[in-house]
Amino acid sequence: MATKLPESEFDARLAEVRGRLADTDADAATFLGATSIEYLSGFHHIQTERPVVLAVTEDRMEITVPRLEVERVEPNPRIDAVHHYFDYPQGKPIETAAAMLEGMGVDSVVSDADGAPGVMGYEGPSLSEFVEVDSQSWVDRMRWEKTDAEVDLVRESAKWANLAHRHLADYTEVGAHPVTVSQRATTEASRAMLDTLGDRYAVRTRGSGPVHAGYISGSETALPHGHTPNERLSEGDVLITGASANVDGYHSELERTMFVGEPSDEQVHYFELMLEAQDIAIDALGPGQSIAGVDEAVHDYFLEQGIEDTAQHHVGHNIGLGGHEPPYLDRGWDEYDHVGESDAQMAPGQIYTIEPGIYTDEYGYRHSDTIAITESGIEWLTYFPRDLESNVIR
């Protein structure tokens, strides 16, 4: 049961970044993206109008944070020094980071951004106003392939997602409100996870539980990113469900198309088309296989069936610390800016959601399963039943 990333993972990541840094003329690598900072240091924070800047040199790792993060980051054994400003806009985030770099003897950096992300109203100077800056996206690329330890965390996430989804199905009935059913399933699965893991659970949430389950219903399912409607469930409703769990920052994705009561012939027809499309996509997975080819295979099937106009998105995406990560199972993947020749094929350690969807004027139909690419093939990480009978609520 994997519940926390081992220290050796951070040692390997830092060594990789330092090796890349050594191949440049820069004095340091800097990171302003929250996920990249977490990936390298283990310090996770909510990205707001208060920038955080991580700096890595050949022998040190230092960080600039707002005052409110000091106590959270200071115990981190991987960070050699913590610098802070009071708040924004009264503080000077990038100026503080520039002073940090000066103290580290840094005149030039390779950075994942030339300044802090402009979120929640932040506006500030570029990093290049203070030091020489070249760009890099090292961590973004490193995250494409997961190590065995990372796959273990996603596998653990899938286990708790499956439990949450089981609760979701069990609590669904005619007359229930989808919001309260979702809350109940989420609470029950989170309680089970916390009771089971105890102090092995790595704290990752603020006020909410580590597991989430829910669904959209009725006509909202015709929208891939529909909202939960304010209407109680009725006989004949279509549901598109979703469940996941946060295990030391890593996530899985489990989605099912379900029916409240016996589905109509038309609903069964589209369900079976969707299930076949998912089978086709999964059959196209494997080490060395074309990433774009997965989406192409499903698109060809939709064309053959005359339903290409019901598709509204690509087949899936990589998943891990982020809910959506590259590579993307998209017909345009080969033209993606960061794709080299070797990046056009799937590689062991990549973890994909497989979720081709069909959307009619009335309802949507989509399963999503999380599947890892292995040295010899694939490994299913999610495992809730996919067949029609198992997804009918009676």
Side-chain angles (χ1 to χ4, degrees):
M1 180 184 297
T3 60
K4 190 172 178 60
L5 207 63
E7 287 297 318
S8 58
E9 292 289 302
F10 293 103
D11 293 341
R13 293 169 181 179
L14 196 54
E16 172 74 13
V17 164
R18 283 178 168 148
R20 291 176 180 243
L21 176 62
D23 291 334
T24 74
D25 295 326
D27 302 316
T30 53
F31 302 88
L32 294 97
T35 305
S36 293
I37 291 169
E38 176 181 1
Y39 185 85
L40 288 176
S41 70
F43 171 60
H44 50 93
H45 69 285
I46 299 173
Q47 198 146 43
T48 68
E49 76 279 8
R50 306 173 177 104
V52 173
V53 184
L54 184 74
V56 176
T57 66
E58 63 180 357
D59 58 359
R60 289 185 68 77
M61 181 158 62
E62 301 189 14
I63 196 167
T64 293
V65 298
R67 174 63 188 86
L68 59 80
E69 296 285 11
V70 170
E71 283 76 17
R72 291 188 63 246
V73 73
E74 279 187 335
N76 189 305
R78 292 171 286 275
I79 295 176
D80 298 300
V82 177
H83 307 258
H84 76 272
Y85 57 94
F86 187 73
D87 210 326
Y88 173 81
Q90 62 182 288
K92 302 294 183 183
I94 298 301
E95 290 88 340
T96 303
M100 171 184 71
L101 293 171
E102 182 179 6
M104 298 172 76
V106 172
D107 295 317
S108 61
V109 302
V110 280
S111 185
D112 64 349
D114 185 14
V119 298
M120 298 188 182
Y122 173 78
E123 295 179 0
S126 300
L127 193 59
S128 55
E129 293 182 29
F130 304 93
V131 293
E132 182 182 334
V133 176
D134 282 329
S135 64
Q136 50 84 6
S137 54
W138 297 340
V139 167
D140 289 345
R141 181 60 185 85
M142 290 164 65
R143 287 169 53 203
W144 288 16
E145 288 85 37
K146 277 67 178 175
T147 63
D148 290 346
E150 291 177 288
V151 175
D152 282 344
L153 296 180
V154 179
R155 187 182 293 113
E156 185 72 10
S157 170
K159 179 173 73 177
W160 297 108
N162 193 81
L163 175 65
H165 199 280
R166 183 73 269 160
H167 285 319
L168 197 69
D170 289 345
Y171 300 152
T172 296
E173 60 184 1
V174 171
H177 198 292
V179 169
T180 55
V181 173
S182 300
Q183 290 173 336
R184 184 181 178 191
T186 294
T187 298
E188 290 299 318
S190 292
R191 179 182 292 118
M193 182 176 177
L194 294 170
D195 287 348
T196 301
L197 299 184
D199 59 9
R200 289 175 294 175
Y201 171 68
V203 177
R204 282 291 181 162
T205 60
R206 298 177 66 201
S208 60
V211 187
H212 174 75
Y215 48 67
I216 56 177
S217 55
S219 60
E220 285 289 321
T221 63
L223 308 172
H225 285 178
H227 291 84
T228 303
N230 184 22
E231 56 188 30
R232 295 183 181 274
L233 299 178
S234 302
E235 191 85 15
D237 268 350
V238 176
L239 313 176
I240 292 186
T241 67
S244 188
N246 188 324
V247 181
D248 203 16
Y250 286 80
H251 302 82
S252 58
E253 183 174 288
L254 168 63
E255 296 176 348
R256 290 292 179 265
T257 300
M258 306 189 81
F259 302 97
V260 181
E262 294 299 329
S264 67
D265 290 344
E266 180 179 357
Q267 290 170 343
V268 170
H269 172 69
Y270 284 114
F271 180 95
E272 290 177 344
L273 288 172
M274 174 274 296
L275 192 61
E276 178 64 20
Q278 195 192 32
D279 284 337
I280 288 169
I282 292 166
D283 287 345
L285 300 176
Q289 297 300 308
S290 167
I291 293 172
V294 181
D295 197 39
E296 289 169 355
V298 171
H299 179 66
D300 288 347
Y301 173 70
F302 284 166
L303 286 172
E304 175 189 306
Q305 297 298 318
I307 59 168
E308 67 274 14
D309 59 338
T310 67
Q312 297 187 27
H313 55 76
H314 54 213
V315 163
H317 51 83
N318 209 352
I319 191 169
L321 280 173
H324 283 231
E325 300 178 351
Y328 305 111
L329 298 175
D330 189 289
R331 297 196 303 282
W333 175 252
D334 293 351
E335 285 74 52
Y336 190 66
D337 286 346
H338 301 296
V339 175
E341 185 175 347
S342 63
D343 294 332
Q345 288 81 42
M346 284 170 267
Q350 293 173 0
I351 303 177
Y352 290 102
T353 67
I354 309 301
E355 48 180 321
I358 293 173
Y359 304 92
T360 71
D361 292 339
E362 292 184 294
Y363 301 113
Y365 304 82
R366 183 179 71 245
H367 283 356
S368 181
D369 281 284
T370 304
I371 297 179
I373 307 301
T374 68
E375 294 286 348
S376 58
I378 63 173
E379 178 188 354
W380 288 71
L381 301 180
T382 47
Y383 49 88
F384 195 88
R386 300 164 59 235
D387 64 286
L388 177 64
E389 180 63 25
S390 298
N391 287 283
V392 176
I393 306 294
R394 294 185 175 90

